[in-house]
Amino acid sequence: MPSNTTAPPAKKKGRRARLIVLVLVLALVAGIGYGGYWGVSTVRSSFPQTTGTIRIDKLSSPVEVKRDANGIPQIYADNEADLFRAQGYVQAQDRFYEMDVRRHMTAGRLSEMFGKSQVDTDAFLRTLGWRRVAQQEYDKVLSAETKKNLQAYAEGVNAYLEDRDPADVSVEYAALAFTNDYAIEPWTPVDSVAWLKAMAWDLRGNMQDEIDRSLMTSRLTAQQVKDLYPGYPYELHQPIVSQGAVDKITGKFDPDAKAGGSGARTNGGAADALTGTQSQLAALSDALDGIPALLGPNGNGIGSNSWVVGGDYTTSGKPLLANDPHLAPMLPSLWYQMGLHCRSVSATCRYDVAGYTFSGMPGVIIGHNDSIAWGFTNLGADVTDLYLEKVGDDGYVVDGKVKPFTVRDEIIKVAGGGDRKITIRSTDNGPLLSDRSSDLEKVGQKAPVGNAAPDRGTGYGVSLRWTALQPGKSMDAVFELNRAKDFKTFRAAAEHFEVPSQNLIYADTAGHIGYQAPGRIPVRAKGYDGTLPAPGWDSSYDWKGYIPFDELPYEYDPKRGYIVTANQSVIDEKKYPYLLTRDWGYGSRSQRINDLIESKTKDGGKISPDDMQTMQMDNRSEIATLLNPLLLKIDISDPYVREAQKLLEGWDYTQEPDSAAAAYFNAVWRNVLKLGFGDKLPKELRVEGECINVRAADATGPVDEQNKLVRECGERDPDTAQPDGGDRWYEVVRPLLKQEKNDWWKTPGDRLNAPTETRDQLLAQAMKDARWELTAKLGKDVTTWSWGRLHQLTLKNQTLGTAGPGVVQSLLNRGPWNLGGGEAAVDATGWNAAGGYDVIWVPSMRMVVNVGDWDRSRWINLTGASGHAYNSHYTDQTDKWAKGELLDWAYGRAAVDTAAKDTLTLQP
């Protein structure tokens, strides 16, 4: 599942003077030089009070807040309203600046904090309308009970803010005060709800793939594009649900039913469907790159691992459940650990829950109560479609008729500048994203569409249809999950978790395990599968509704005794009547977890909590098992390259931080992808600033004086460029390894290297290039190489720590850490092969839940409880996280009391 929670100012231009001020302020804050006394007092003034008594007017009875040695709070209250008031107060103590920046982002109001550099981002976010939809949910959809909880939470946040100067809330406000008259506003319930929209945005499915496939058509044939998006390998990697079907009589999914029918209904289309679109779709891709990635780079990498093992196969005799969401590294971590406990659980106070939540949102997202445990991974359902729209001054064309736009104006307030007015137009398909870019206005100008397309004029607009732009009940689902007592109530909660669509795994104290695929997933018309932009002028491409919840796949106590979800296919598409997506994760991680469980439980073996923890740190490279044997067979004559090749002899494919073999192999893999694929992709997909000589896209015939090679430079952000090296690329390369003379192995060469014609020639060239690359990065002596020196994690404060002079970053950021693991490994410390080796997503937390014996559960966060840069809990869990260690997770009152280091009483 749920890789950044807060948005950095996007550009440095025009901010030099302001940054100089920030450097001075932050130097004082850090206690440097003559500002030492003032700096220390400023820092400490924003640290939370964690002992003694604080009076809060809104409370009806006393609340205890017990923090352990890592500052993780457990809250005890007599009623639900006080429980959520205290949650709001405590999270604001530790994380309010993060919460404040996040709500400004979800509302498209970053310019109010960071000035004119954020106007374009705000305009795009206003066009999406997250905050508007969140307001509609609160006003018209959410239950009265949920709204009471949200209001209580907001009261707690505001109780903390009351009569505090901004500098006493967080040190970043002291810096902002020098350049901005920004004032903190009260927290509202809708601020909490809007966060779910932001989370859904980063887990929206295949939107980037839809754009990339279209961009590829400027350079590649339809068959080549198909080569780069192979089907899911069901014969190699089992889906989550291995059996079951929609029963023809009841119309409901039955886990025990046998599949029938002719396979998935492809959803959507007409005979003149789009076969691609022109490279100007890159303007949309650039706009998307400019939107803060709250959870991480969207695409194949963002995901998670979760699995649950039934008691028949565990040493405890009760289920064990593990979860580790893979998200972008950020500081503070996306997650906030805490417990919410009614002192006496009753009909009027029903919560006794602990786990991971988001600062700014009440309840617990992932965790357990006294009866059940649950975890999330991203299902990856295709819940977005881009539509090309024939637009004019009067409206847009649908079925030959002009319809008027839905129009609204919004004002963007800008710190240090004048207000900006924007006009937002929407079609029936959704907001017109192309209005946010002059380049996007020409999207579709060269799109190869069928004869039924209208005259494109100066081009088509681009609109977005997305399930999250309709009000839903996901906030209701959070509280319902927290209170669920069995699989029936768990599924009832899952039905309301509409966006983002997640894989939910389950275990309970009665020994049952289960899985549910929830979410609002569209049904498209026959023939259209959502992999390319659709023609908005043809209503036959409209969505036809949503898959009924009763027909979504689930499992309950499967015979195999365990369930694994790691973003692989949910169910074999040939056995299921609906199309969930064409763009699954390709199952390398999930199959590895399946294999580890099966190897441990064969011949009567049992799995322990220690085994679950060890599995989470498994770092085996699956692509190495295919490619390494071929690399060792290459006859290398250059002794310098041969020296590196020898590192691969006897390597067991593990990617430990100190492994020289892992460093060299991953460098070879990166260069194989660059030579075989990367240099053949259009500039819109390649890394920004990397330039190559290519044939002009519109050239015909052989290269000559009229059709010369042109210099083309990449345009994509390094974290989202292609080929990214994820397990989709494993499946691209897998069949090619058996085709020694496939055209993908051919390269033109350059002044230093001869062209390649075969697989082995390209592999040899990649080994040579990798040797020289690592020599430059790690030195000549291969015995000193290590994967961790290449593969580093730096934790960055998500506002001031991502821009400006190095002194600012050194004050707010932490690291680097040398990590093991890798792309598509179970220990998914992801990196983008096109962009480099730095870690761009991580297991953002890890937990192993010992169901029923809750106090023997374990957990860890990426950073720590605090968002205050110099607090002792800022990154106090990171070293243990990097080593794969877990903390003891106290849940019962006796265990919490024993672990408590600080106790704070909130008094009416």
Side-chain angles (χ1 to χ4, degrees):
M1 170 182 169
S3 273
N4 290 341
T5 54
T6 53
K11 300 177 182 178
K12 301 178 184 178
K13 185 177 179 181
R15 299 176 59 233
R16 180 176 176 81
R18 187 174 135 217
L19 286 171
I20 290 173
V21 172
L22 294 180
V23 171
L24 294 174
V25 172
L26 290 170
L28 291 172
V29 168
I32 296 172
Y34 295 108
Y37 177 79
W38 180 85
V40 170
S41 65
T42 300
V43 170
R44 289 179 175 170
S45 70
S46 64
F47 286 3
Q49 178 182 338
T50 58
T51 61
T53 300
I54 297 175
R55 294 197 175 276
I56 299 177
D57 290 341
K58 291 285 186 178
L59 289 178
S60 60
S61 61
V63 177
E64 292 175 284
V65 182
K66 292 180 174 289
R67 285 180 165 91
D68 66 10
N70 293 97
I72 299 170
Q74 304 282 340
I75 299 175
Y76 291 87
D78 290 331
N79 60 75
E80 294 175 3
D82 284 347
L83 190 64
F84 294 117
R85 288 186 186 105
Q87 183 181 17
Y89 189 94
V90 169
Q91 287 191 337
Q93 281 186 305
D94 283 330
R95 299 281 193 95
F96 183 77
Y97 179 73
E98 173 195 3
M99 294 162 58
D100 197 18
V101 176
R102 181 184 295 162
R103 67 166 164 174
H104 277 77
M105 177 173 44
T106 57
R109 296 174 56 197
L110 289 169
S111 300
E112 296 177 24
M113 296 186 79
F114 302 113
K116 64 182 181 181
S117 67
Q118 295 300 292
V119 169
D120 289 345
T121 296
D122 282 345
F124 198 94
L125 291 167
R126 297 281 186 99
T127 300
L128 289 173
W130 294 346
R131 172 77 187 204
R132 292 180 71 252
V133 180
Q135 186 71 56
Q136 292 168 7
E137 288 183 354
Y138 185 80
D139 291 342
K140 301 177 181 179
V141 177
L142 296 178
S143 70
E145 180 178 339
T146 293
K147 289 195 278 190
K148 287 180 182 178
N149 294 342
L150 289 164
Q151 185 61 48
Y153 180 89
E155 290 170 356
V157 175
N158 292 328
Y160 173 73
L161 295 175
E162 188 174 1
D163 298 328
R164 283 182 198 273
D165 291 331
D168 293 334
V169 173
S170 190
V171 69
E172 288 90 342
Y173 291 114
L176 284 177
F178 278 77
T179 57
N180 190 348
D181 59 357
Y182 175 77
I184 297 174
E185 297 176 356
W187 192 264
T188 74
V190 180
D191 293 332
S192 297
V193 179
W195 168 238
L196 285 173
K197 298 302 167 187
M199 186 173 73
W201 174 254
D202 279 353
L203 300 172
R204 62 192 179 272
N206 75 336
M207 184 172 170
Q208 191 65 58
D209 288 322
E210 189 174 330
I211 294 170
D212 287 356
R213 271 187 288 259
S214 297
L215 294 174
M216 287 178 184
T217 62
S218 70
R219 286 280 175 202
L220 305 178
T221 67
Q223 181 57 51
Q224 288 174 320
V225 174
K226 185 177 180 181
D227 289 346
L228 301 186
Y229 286 90
Y232 185 86
Y234 289 101
E235 71 283 2
L236 297 172
H237 300 156
Q238 65 192 68
I240 297 171
V241 175
S242 58
Q243 62 185 47
V246 175
D247 187 276
K248 294 180 180 180
I249 298 175
T250 65
K252 298 180 180 181
F253 188 87
D254 182 351
D256 297 319
K258 293 184 177 180
S262 57
R265 284 202 299 261
T266 55
N267 307 334
D272 64 326
L274 293 175
T275 58
T277 188
Q278 80 303 348
S279 64
Q280 286 175 330
L281 265 173
L284 175 57
S285 183
D286 289 344
L288 297 178
D289 275 346
I291 301 305
L294 301 164
L295 307 178
N298 184 264
N300 189 249
I302 192 168
S304 306
N305 300 323
S306 72
W307 65 96
V308 60
V309 182
D312 289 345
Y313 299 96
T314 68
T315 56
S316 67
K318 291 291 181 70
L320 296 173
L321 185 150
N323 198 186
D324 55 287
H326 305 155
L327 308 171
M330 59 193 73
L331 185 59
S333 166
L334 173 75
W335 298 108
Y336 186 92
Q337 298 154 284
M338 71 188 319
L340 301 172
H341 308 278
C342 292
R343 289 193 180 95
S344 177
V345 177
S346 67
T348 58
C349 195
R350 296 163 292 172
Y351 293 90
D352 189 12
V353 61
Y356 297 85
T357 187
F358 301 128
S359 55
M361 211 173 89
V364 168
I365 304 300
I366 293 174
H368 71 83
N369 58 32
D370 61 345
S371 300
I372 75 164
W374 69 93
F376 283 4
T377 64
N378 193 24
L379 191 149
D382 184 358
V383 295
T384 61
D385 276 334
L386 294 172
Y387 285 82
L388 297 189
E389 305 281 6
K390 174 58 181 174
V391 300
D393 293 337
D394 299 327
Y396 59 102
V397 175
V398 180
D399 296 336
K401 298 179 180 179
V402 176
K403 298 188 69 173
F405 295 108
T406 300
V407 180
R408 71 180 190 273
D409 292 330
E410 297 206 11
I411 303 298
I412 298 174
K413 297 183 181 298
V414 182
D419 294 350
R420 307 286 181 90
K421 178 181 178 181
I422 63 170
T423 298
I424 298 166
R425 301 186 297 174
S426 297
T427 72
D428 286 346
N429 293 316
L432 204 61
L433 303 184
S434 50
D435 281 353
R436 301 282 70 86
S437 166
S438 58
D439 289 333
L440 274 174
E441 292 174 3
K442 298 180 180 179
V443 163
Q445 201 165 37
K446 299 180 181 178
V449 296
N451 293 332
D455 175 18
R456 70 192 81 212
T458 59
Y460 299 131
V462 179
S463 63
L464 171 67
R465 176 165 285 194
W466 176 33
T467 56
L469 296 184
Q470 299 178 34
K473 298 182 177 181
S474 293
M475 196 70 237
D476 284 345
V478 172
F479 297 110
E480 290 167 356
L481 279 173
N482 287 194
R483 302 191 305 263
K485 296 297 183 183
D486 52 28
F487 195 60
K488 180 180 178 180
T489 51
F490 169 79
R491 289 193 72 212
E495 183 173 2
H496 290 154
F497 207 95
E498 296 165 326
V499 291
S501 185
Q502 299 290 290
N503 296 308
L504 271 64
I505 60 168
Y506 166 94
D508 64 34
T509 53
H512 302 293
I513 64 173
Y515 162 81
Q516 177 67 58
R520 183 188 290 157
I521 303 172
V523 176
R524 297 170 178 87
K526 185 178 180 181
Y528 177 57
D529 63 7
T531 59
L532 290 169
W537 54 84
D538 185 344
S539 64
S540 69
Y541 284 81
D542 290 351
W543 289 357
K544 308 305 177 185
Y546 303 97
I547 301 174
F549 179 78
D550 284 343
E551 297 184 48
L552 288 168
Y554 75 94
E555 284 192 321
Y556 187 59
D557 291 336
K559 293 180 181 179
R560 64 181 176 279
Y562 63 88
I563 302 168
V564 175
T565 84
N567 320 114
Q568 78 272 40
S569 174
V570 169
I571 189 169
D572 191 331
E573 62 183 32
K574 295 179 181 178
K575 301 177 181 179
Y576 189 65
Y578 296 102
L579 180 66
L580 300 175
T581 186
R582 294 285 190 208
D583 292 302
W584 300 110
Y586 280 74
S588 290
R589 282 182 287 111
S590 61
Q591 192 57 47
R592 177 62 175 166
I593 297 167
N594 275 299
D595 292 344
L596 290 169
I597 293 173
E598 290 178 7
S599 67
K600 190 69 180 178
T601 56
K602 69 179 180 181
D603 301 324
K606 304 285 187 179
I607 292 178
S608 69
D610 287 343
D611 294 328
M612 300 284 276
Q613 184 174 342
T614 299
M615 289 181 202
Q616 288 182 324
M617 295 302 295
D618 183 84
N619 57 31
R620 174 184 168 101
S621 169
E622 293 305 306
I623 188 60
T625 66
L626 297 175
L627 191 55
N628 199 62
L630 294 175
L631 297 177
L632 291 174
K633 292 179 181 178
I634 304 293
D635 185 11
I636 301 294
S637 58
D638 185 334
Y640 204 58
V641 180
R642 173 62 183 144
E643 187 179 31
Q645 184 188 34
K646 288 181 180 179
L647 294 173
L648 303 178
E649 296 176 357
W651 179 42
D652 63 359
Y653 312 136
T654 59
Q655 301 174 92
E656 297 294 334
D658 61 356
S659 172
Y664 182 57
F665 174 81
N666 283 315
V668 174
W669 172 235
R670 166 172 149 85
N671 281 277
V672 166
L673 291 170
K674 180 178 183 293
L675 291 167
F677 308 98
D679 290 350
K680 298 165 187 173
L681 296 176
K683 64 182 182 297
E684 294 89 355
L685 274 69
R686 300 199 314 270
V687 174
E688 182 179 6
E690 291 190 359
C691 304
I692 57 175
N693 293 321
V694 299
R695 187 181 184 196
D698 57 354
T700 59
V703 175
D704 54 26
E705 288 302 313
Q706 284 73 42
N707 287 320
K708 292 181 178 179
L709 296 177
V710 297
R711 190 73 168 162
E712 248 186 22
C713 298
E715 299 177 351
R716 184 67 65 83
D717 180 273
D719 289 355
T720 58
Q722 293 295 333
D724 61 23
D727 62 357
R728 171 165 68 88
W729 292 96
Y730 297 4
E731 294 308 314
V732 170
V733 170
R734 185 191 302 275
L736 300 181
L737 293 176
K738 299 177 182 179
Q739 303 171 38
E740 297 184 28
K741 295 184 178 181
N742 189 286
D743 285 349
W744 286 110
W745 301 122
K746 296 180 180 179
T747 65
D750 54 35
R751 62 186 181 84
L752 297 177
N753 300 301
T756 65
E757 295 288 335
T758 67
R759 177 198 68 192
D760 288 355
Q761 288 175 352
L762 186 142
L763 296 182
Q765 184 62 52
M767 294 172 76
K768 176 183 175 182
D769 291 349
R771 176 34 155 143
W772 285 106
E773 180 186 2
L774 294 199
T775 297
K777 293 179 181 294
L778 301 178
K780 294 181 180 180
D781 185 354
V782 300
T783 64
T784 68
W785 290 359
S786 71
W787 176 225
R789 286 175 60 201
L790 277 180
H791 191 52
Q792 293 187 323
L793 167 67
T794 299
L795 293 172
K796 296 183 179 182
N797 177 287
Q798 293 302 301
T799 54
L800 305 181
T802 58
V807 64
V808 175
Q809 298 184 24
S810 66
L811 292 171
L812 296 178
N813 299 343
R814 300 293 182 268
W817 284 265
N818 296 345
L819 297 186
E823 180 63 39
V826 179
D827 182 18
T829 54
W831 55 287
N832 185 306
Y837 303 98
D838 286 344
V839 176
I840 61 172
W841 57 71
V842 294
S844 57
M845 63 78 157
R846 298 186 184 100
M847 72 177 193
V848 175
V849 182
N850 201 319
V851 176
D853 194 355
W854 305 115
D855 291 329
R856 292 182 61 201
S857 301
R858 306 169 187 172
W859 60 352
I860 197 79
N861 205 349
L862 174 64
T863 60
S866 179
H868 300 287
Y870 306 101
N871 188 279
S872 61
H873 302 307
Y874 191 47
T875 56
D876 59 334
Q877 299 186 48
T878 309
D879 285 343
K880 290 182 172 63
W881 172 91
K883 296 174 185 176
E885 298 176 10
L886 299 176
L887 303 173
D888 291 337
W889 180 354
Y891 170 74
R893 183 61 190 256
V896 170
D897 287 345
T898 299
K901 299 300 180 184
D902 291 329
T903 299
L904 173 69
T905 300
L906 303 179
Q907 191 78 26

